[in-house]
Amino acid sequence: MSTVNVLRYSGLALGLLFGLKNDLSLKSAASKKEEQRAYEAKMKLVEEAKAEYAKSKEPVKSEAESGRGKEVNLEDPNVDFAAVILQAVDSMKS
């Protein structure tokens, strides 16, 4: 009967140790997965920030460059004569 009790408690102890080891490995894997998810979220934010920065640093086209076929009112006191002359020269080249 003593042998049966030794085997029973040995099996119980091995089961508890196996369960503890399994629990620790599952917690470790979940922790690593959460760290990876957090890292990917940060990298996504970095990529979005880079895209926004690149978008903000793009050269802005002036109104003279963007409106090439537009009529120019020379009577307007705010007209940019340099842009009008450059537009005329560019239109002759093309």
Side-chain angles (χ1 to χ4, degrees):
M1 189 97 138
S2 171
T3 309
V4 174
N5 281 339
V6 169
L7 290 175
R8 181 183 300 164
Y9 288 114
S10 295
L12 178 64
L14 287 175
L16 288 173
L17 289 175
F18 176 75
L20 181 63
K21 178 188 172 289
N22 192 24
D23 185 50
L24 290 176
S25 67
L26 290 175
K27 284 181 181 178
S28 175
S31 173
K32 286 181 183 177
K33 194 177 216 182
E34 183 61 34
E35 288 176 5
Q36 182 66 25
R37 190 177 302 128
Y39 177 77
E40 289 172 358
K42 286 180 184 178
M43 291 306 295
K44 182 180 177 187
L45 288 175
V46 167
E47 292 300 322
E48 289 175 2
K50 284 181 180 179
E52 288 295 322
Y53 180 77
K55 192 185 304 182
S56 70
K57 292 297 180 181
E58 287 179 355
V60 179
K61 291 186 177 183
S62 68
E63 291 179 16
E65 291 177 2
S66 61
R68 289 187 180 237
K70 199 165 55 168
E71 292 290 324
V72 178
N73 184 6
L74 296 177
E75 299 293 325
D76 184 16
N78 297 327
V79 70
D80 184 11
F81 288 107
V84 171
I85 293 171
L86 289 175
Q87 180 182 359
V89 171
D90 285 343
S91 67
M92 285 184 197
K93 289 181 183 178
S94 300

